[in-house]
Amino acid sequence: MSSRSADPQYAELHRRLRRRGFLGVAAGATAATLLGARPAAAAPQAAAAADHRSCRPIVPRGRLGIQLYTLRDQVQQLGFGPVFRELERYGYDSVEFAGYTQGTGDLTLRQLKRLMREHGLRGIGSHVGYYSADPAAYTFATQLEKVVDDAAALGLPHVGTAASPDRYGRTVDGWKRAAEDFNTYGAAARARGLTFYQHNHQMEFGFAEDKPHVRLYDVLLAETDPELVHLEMDIYWAYAGQHRFSVRPDGTPAPFDPLDYVLAAPHRYPLFHVKDGEHDEASPDGYHMVDVGDGDIDYEHFIGTVLRRHRGRRTDHHWLMERDDAVDPDANPAGSFTSARRSAAYLRGRRHP
């Protein structure tokens, strides 16, 4: 037996992963997912078929949303009403909030809910801070009851955080403590008829500082109650994590495929962030962001595989377009509305205008 397998803490994690259906996610990935490898999209024939793909809907009807952080400049300048009007025109079904005012001034939750209804949009979720040193801050740790009450008042089915579970450090025990917090928030959300979720970036797929053979994302999955804590996979950042963390600190291979996590436990992933990236070897993450459909992440394959594998089962996936740098004129001179429109057109099965 290896020293790693003999470690009681590692053995317990191994047992939990097996019980919850995640064992084999990393081991089942091929060598093609090692550092610097591309997801399944990168073959030349995939590029040649792009026009054909863009004529078919990729996201099912009623399941296309947008994270409003993408349009934070427009929300602040115009207000939610005009932004929702544009999203209705583009064919979006739902919105995920990144704050309920976003610099628009006083706006009640009732008014915000009415604006969504007027434009045929559903509020699907909301990003809220995890914790703060300020006891008056609007976070799960400091104002849990208000956070879940507000989400319920808006009619949101989900409320979560985009913060990393690094609150107590990047160790196995630190992430176990964060998992306990998330279980508490999940129980409070469920008591109000909601589900709590955590949204990943790339660093969740890194390794524990005290046990560098343990991937921290696996700790999060193993230590949270699957009935209380759900996940919102940001697909772009998951592939950036694959680029950065397919090799352990000691140089040994640790390949994984983000899609395998979803296929192992589809019920834990009600929400996805759909953002695209072109391969960029100058970037530590291996990509730079572009509009959905312009990059190298094969969304027809990713979304299609999830839908085909779980056809007929009770899954309720929603696919939310996002582009973090959409408001940066240097990275995205066409502007955030154009990114939202072009990405929706691609995912809806129309050619990019």
Side-chain angles (χ1 to χ4, degrees):
M1 180 181 291
S2 68
S3 59
R4 185 172 70 199
S5 300
D7 186 321
Q9 192 171 44
Y10 180 81
E12 172 63 13
L13 174 62
H14 190 78
R15 183 184 66 80
R16 287 175 180 266
L17 288 171
R18 179 185 291 113
R19 185 180 73 246
R20 294 188 177 173
F22 288 96
L23 189 61
V25 166
T30 66
T33 61
L34 287 174
L35 182 64
R38 300 184 177 190
Q45 59 268 32
D51 285 343
H52 177 64
R53 288 202 311 267
S54 65
C55 295
R56 300 201 305 267
I58 295 174
V59 171
R61 191 169 183 173
R63 301 303 177 89
L64 179 61
I66 186 169
Q67 164 53 250
L68 290 171
Y69 183 74
T70 304
L71 298 168
R72 56 198 180 275
D73 60 333
Q74 302 295 342
V75 172
Q76 186 168 10
Q77 293 171 29
L78 305 174
F80 282 106
V83 169
F84 289 170
R85 187 179 307 118
E86 287 299 297
L87 295 178
E88 182 181 21
R89 288 182 55 236
Y90 302 162
Y92 284 99
D93 305 303
S94 59
V95 293
E96 181 185 37
F97 289 95
Y100 302 133
T101 58
Q102 289 191 242
T104 60
D106 292 334
L107 185 70
T108 68
L109 297 178
R110 180 174 294 182
Q111 290 171 322
L112 190 54
K113 188 175 182 179
R114 185 177 68 247
L115 284 173
M116 286 190 288
R117 184 171 61 248
E118 288 174 354
H119 296 288
L121 295 169
R122 178 189 183 193
I124 198 68
S126 178
H127 283 188
V128 178
Y130 172 11
Y131 65 94
S132 173
D134 178 3
Y138 189 76
T139 72
F140 280 97
T142 53
Q143 296 195 39
L144 177 57
E145 293 304 317
K146 180 170 176 52
V147 166
V148 296
D149 285 348
D150 287 350
L154 266 178
L156 307 180
H158 311 285
V159 62
T161 186
S164 167
D166 282 354
R167 179 181 184 180
Y168 308 107
R170 292 181 61 81
T171 65
V172 170
D173 283 342
W175 276 52
K176 285 183 176 181
R177 288 183 65 190
E180 291 177 5
D181 289 346
F182 288 179
N183 286 332
T184 298
Y185 308 154
R190 186 167 69 173
R192 300 292 280 116
L194 313 170
T195 60
F196 170 82
Y197 63 93
Q198 193 268 346
H199 162 284
N200 67 273
H201 291 87
Q202 75 280 51
M203 296 304 292
E204 281 87 339
F205 297 95
F207 300 96
E209 292 176 351
D210 59 333
K211 297 193 178 291
H213 51 276
V214 175
R215 194 180 302 281
L216 286 169
Y217 195 66
D218 293 339
V219 177
L220 177 66
L221 293 169
E223 296 296 329
T224 49
D225 185 332
E227 299 304 316
L228 297 178
V229 177
H230 293 75
L231 292 308
E232 176 179 62
M233 179 173 281
D234 186 304
I235 300 168
Y236 171 95
W237 286 120
Y239 279 115
Q242 181 195 64
H243 177 87
R244 294 184 66 158
F245 301 113
S246 284
V247 175
R248 296 186 183 88
D250 65 2
T252 59
F256 74 97
D257 187 337
L259 180 57
D260 286 341
Y261 280 106
V262 180
L263 297 180
H267 62 286
R268 294 202 76 176
Y269 292 89
L271 306 177
F272 295 85
H273 274 191
V274 179
K275 66 181 66 157
D276 214 341
E278 286 184 335
H279 286 280
D280 182 355
E281 293 303 321
S283 168
D285 295 320
Y287 298 89
H288 68 266
M289 291 183 191
V290 295
D291 293 343
V292 181
D294 289 345
D296 295 314
I297 298 177
D298 188 344
Y299 277 109
E300 183 180 34
H301 170 73
F302 192 104
I303 298 174
T305 299
V306 173
L307 296 177
R308 286 190 302 271
R309 186 70 64 88
H310 301 286
R311 184 175 294 136
R313 302 184 191 179
R314 292 191 62 183
T315 56
D316 188 22
H317 302 305
H318 292 265
W319 309 88
L320 311 177
M321 176 268 167
E322 186 185 37
R323 181 167 175 178
D324 298 5
D325 64 359
V327 304
D328 182 347
D330 294 325
N332 186 35
S336 59
F337 267 148
T338 298
S339 286
R341 175 174 54 81
R342 295 184 76 246
S343 298
Y346 176 77
L347 294 167
R348 286 293 191 198
R350 307 184 188 107
R351 296 185 185 276
H352 270 330

